[in-house]
Amino acid sequence: MRVLGCPDARPARRTFRLLLAATTVGLLGLSLVVAASPAAAAVTLPPAHGQFDYQIGGAYPPAASVAIVDRDRTSTPVAGKYNICYINALQTQPDGDNPPAEPDYGTVSWWVKYHNDLVLKDSKGKPVIDTDWKEALLDVSTDAKRQSILTIEEGWIDGCQTSGFQAIEPDNLDSYSRSGGRLTFAQDKAFMVLFVPYAHTKGLAVAQKNTNSEFGTTGKTEVGFNFAIAEECGFYDECGDYAAAYGNNYIEIEYTDESAKKFKAACTDHGATVSIIRRDRNVVPKGDPAYHYELCP
């Protein structure tokens, strides 16, 4: 993700998340793929070219034709679908306009109150904030801090497994680009080298979220990502990079505030083999006036 305000700037690609309750459900009839690590359980990959529904902005009943649903880690998976669990892995959640006296779990205030040493600080000792989404960056600058953050997030990963998700979407793999030079991509990658194998031990596949210009094919070969979720790769002509690493096992999300022509061109080029949808930027729930969900024609 490029920084807003730069000559080559692109819009912030991530979306709002709502916190919802979770329950356990099962999934039947999907093939299994054994992960490379001997400590890993068998993981299930999403069905390539399966119809995708991105619901991290709020859950709602998906259409019967939908095969893959992506929801926040605190949401309930959908029985009979392939469910991806969204985790904000390298940044906090935002506080919201009216944060409660007791911080919500995983928000800026929660991290500062309970794990302040794991929040990246600026020269004045204040949290470094992703101003587009009002999220603080987590400090993955040392081995010790990376392990401490993982220890916290292991509970989140465990929750995804217990609830019945089949995969995880860890977000903000490019937090270094918003750190003002305080973090490097190598440090973000080093955290994923811890995160991904742990998820695999729980039988969960892990998606590489964006960042293929940084990872190239190493996201798959060195980190162990199983598939990819690529925002606007059609608009920015990056989809071929994901295909080089993951074949047709990547999910493409285009947005309505970008060119419809690019969406249609992506559909023409690879829509017959790759999951592609077009959504409103904040992926609001169905029923909201701003809701938009579009499949390839």
Side-chain angles (χ1 to χ4, degrees), residues 55-212:
Q55 297 191 7
I56 64 173
Y60 54 89
S65 56
V66 167
I68 308 165
V69 179
D70 193 323
R71 289 179 169 178
D72 186 83
R73 65 182 175 83
T74 57
S75 297
T76 304
V78 184
K81 310 292 186 185
Y82 185 94
N83 292 273
I84 301 173
C85 186
Y86 174 92
I87 289 180
N88 203 347
L90 283 157
Q91 295 185 184
T92 73
Q93 295 289 71
D95 275 329
D97 295 330
N98 297 295
E102 175 60 25
D104 286 333
Y105 186 50
T107 60
V108 177
S109 296
W110 182 86
W111 280 96
V112 168
K113 181 174 182 179
Y114 296 106
H115 304 285
N116 188 46
D117 60 317
L118 301 179
V119 177
L120 189 68
K121 304 298 195 308
D122 63 18
S123 59
K124 297 181 180 179
K126 295 184 180 297
V128 176
I129 301 294
D130 173 354
T131 56
D132 290 326
W133 300 102
K134 300 179 181 179
E135 300 171 353
L137 277 62
L138 300 182
D139 188 350
V140 293
S141 61
T142 68
D143 290 337
K145 289 186 176 185
R146 289 191 287 269
Q147 186 57 61
S148 294
I149 294 168
L150 179 66
T151 298
I152 294 165
E153 295 187 7
E154 283 175 353
W156 303 355
I157 295 168
D158 293 351
C160 293
Q161 179 203 35
T162 301
S163 295
F165 288 93
Q166 288 74 47
I168 292 178
E169 175 197 358
D171 204 0
N172 290 308
L173 308 186
D174 61 347
S175 67
Y176 80 96
S177 67
R178 294 176 289 281
S179 72
R182 297 173 181 88
L183 297 175
T184 66
F185 172 68
Q187 291 165 343
D188 282 349
K189 182 177 179 180
F191 180 67
M192 283 292 105
V193 168
L194 299 176
F195 184 103
V196 173
Y198 181 81
H200 285 168
T201 68
K202 300 300 176 178
L204 297 166
V206 185
Q208 178 188 310
K209 176 68 174 291
N210 299 327
T211 59
N212 217 55

Side-chain angles (χ1 to χ4, degrees), residues 272-290:
T273 57
V274 173
S275 300
I276 305 176
I277 63 169
R278 191 168 187 241
R279 285 288 266 127
D280 54 280
R281 174 68 63 177
N282 293 324
V283 287
V284 297
K286 191 173 184 178
D288 188 295

Side-chain angles (χ1 to χ4, degrees), residues 220-237:
K220 182 176 182 179
T221 60
E222 296 180 10
V223 182
F225 292 118
N226 304 103
F227 64 105
I229 294 176
E231 292 178 295
E232 300 177 283
C233 71
F235 184 76
Y236 291 104
D237 299 320

Side-chain angles (χ1 to χ4, degrees), residues 244-264:
Y246 298 101
N248 65 345
N249 210 334
Y250 69 94
I251 295 166
E252 177 180 346
I253 306 155
E254 303 294 335
Y255 291 110
T256 53
D257 57 357
E258 301 288 12
S259 168
K261 291 182 179 179
K262 288 279 192 172
F263 166 67
K264 292 177 181 177

